[in-house]
């Protein structure tokens, strides 16, 4: 039975993808801070799901993550779905700090530990590290300074790991999944009239396909690929004048 661990599975995309993998017959390890929500997954799929309360910003996060790998007796795929802090035009410093803690430091700790796990278990079948990054990494967004910067960091770190794995002959594939807006709790602290918002029903199968087919980068969806492709072409002197406030 194949095994996936999803960090950030107590709500939103992570929770939906966890339930779908359990339905597909995988063993699923789920983690986040809110254990009572993780337990609802365990109750739905008692033989397939194991859960652990992990705060990726806590000093024991890696130890707990490694314990979860052991409980599952291995890990074929890690999906890092933990994230926060997309909208902060007021530049609230606490919000910025939380965003960096979860999206940069927590991300680095867990993904680094997953890479080292695959490096040590080089004789097992190919592993995969997948991360829900975002289209927001494409440029610095004034209304989401820490968030867009943190997502760019994730893009770059994953690209670097892919190269390192090749250099070190580590049997791990890297999947960077970049959704546009998805209707989840993450969007609750921002404007309500956002464009091109996608449902979980639409996004979850696309996330799963990216993992199962081993895509290196998957932008969800093609409309967002076009929009962010156009953003890339805008020179910095014009970009700063764009009043992006959705
Ligand atoms: N929704 C969108 O429009 C959108 C677009 C592009 C990318 N994404 C990315 O997709 C990922 C999932 O977001 P979502 O939309 O599904 O939002 P969500 O429903 O708010 O899910 C966020 C998950 O992160 C977990 N989390 C937050 N802080 C954590 C911490 N300190 N330790 C462990 N887990 C933590 C939360 O669990 P606990 O609170 O229980 O810890 C929750 O399970 C994020 O990385 C987000 O940036 C979302």
């Amino acid at each position: 039975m194949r095994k996936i661990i999803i960090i950030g599975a107590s709500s939103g995309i992570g929770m939906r993808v966890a339930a779908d993998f359990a339905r597909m017959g995988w063993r699923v390890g789920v983690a986040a801070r809110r254990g009572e929500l993780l337990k609802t997954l365990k109750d739905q799929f008692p033989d397939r799901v194991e859960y652990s309360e992990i705060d990726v910003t806590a000093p024991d996060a890696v130890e707990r993550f490694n314990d979860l790998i052991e409980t599952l007796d291995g890990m074929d795929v890690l999906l890092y779905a933990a994230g926060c802090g997309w909208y902060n035009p007021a530049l609230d410093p606490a919000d910025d700090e939380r965003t960096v803690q979860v999206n940069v430091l927590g991300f680095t700790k867990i993904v680094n530990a997953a890479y080292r796990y695959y490096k040590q278990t080089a004789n097992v079948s190919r592993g995969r590290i997948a991360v829900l990054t975002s289209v927001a990494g494409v440029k610095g967004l004034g209304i989401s300074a820490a968030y867009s910067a943190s997502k760019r960091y994730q893009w770059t770190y994953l690209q670097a790991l892919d190269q390192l794995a090749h250099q070190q002959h580590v049997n791990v594939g890297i999947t960077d999944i970049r959704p546009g807006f998805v209707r989840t709790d993450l969007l609750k602290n921002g404007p309500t009239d956002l464009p091109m918002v996608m449902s979980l029903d639409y996004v979850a199968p696309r996330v799963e396909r990216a993992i199962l087919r081993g895509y290196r980068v998957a932008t969800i969806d093609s409309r967002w690929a076009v929009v962010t492709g156009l953003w890339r072409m805008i020179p910095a002197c014009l970009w700063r004048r764009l009043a992006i406030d959705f």
Side-chain angles (χ1 to χ4, degrees), residues 24-127:
M24 286 186 250
W26 286 50
R27 287 201 78 201
V28 185
V30 290
R33 291 166 303 175
R34 291 170 294 171
E36 71 284 2
L37 296 176
L38 300 173
K39 188 172 173 299
T40 63
L41 281 169
K42 173 77 179 165
D43 292 343
Q44 268 178 276
F45 307 98
D47 303 332
R48 306 240 171 98
V49 169
E50 303 296 337
Y51 73 96
S52 171
E53 284 181 27
I54 299 178
D55 179 346
V56 297
T57 69
D60 65 353
V62 168
E63 193 185 330
R64 282 171 168 270
F65 173 57
N66 286 330
D67 288 347
L68 186 56
I69 298 176
E70 216 174 293
T71 307
L72 234 61
D73 194 24
M75 173 178 73
D76 297 296
V77 177
L78 162 73
L79 173 62
Y80 189 84
C84 64
W86 89 271
Y87 189 72
N88 188 13
L91 278 190
D92 170 15
D95 200 8
D96 265 8
E97 190 174 324
R98 208 167 26 247
T99 301
V100 171
Q101 288 284 344
V102 176
N103 300 3
V104 176
L105 298 175
F107 156 85
T108 305
K109 268 196 273 190
I110 298 295
V111 168
N112 174 305
Y115 182 88
R116 282 185 286 108
Y117 166 77
Y118 289 124
K119 194 172 178 183
Q120 284 156 16
T121 51
N123 55 340
V124 299
S125 64
R126 186 169 171 82

Side-chain angles (χ1 to χ4, degrees), residues 159-211:
Q159 186 182 48
L161 270 197
D162 198 24
Q163 188 180 70
L164 190 66
H166 182 75
Q167 282 166 5
Q168 297 182 338
H169 307 289
V170 176
N171 204 10
V172 59
I174 304 292
T175 296
D176 176 349
I177 303 168
R178 304 173 178 175
F181 290 132
V182 189
R183 194 164 291 110
T184 67
D185 292 350
L186 187 95
L187 297 187
K188 280 187 177 159
N189 71 340
T192 48
D193 53 343
L194 296 167
M196 297 199 299
V197 180
M198 300 172 285
S199 69
L200 271 179
D201 286 342
Y202 179 80
V203 169
R206 285 164 174 77
V207 170
E208 291 148 21
R209 193 181 315 142
I211 293 170

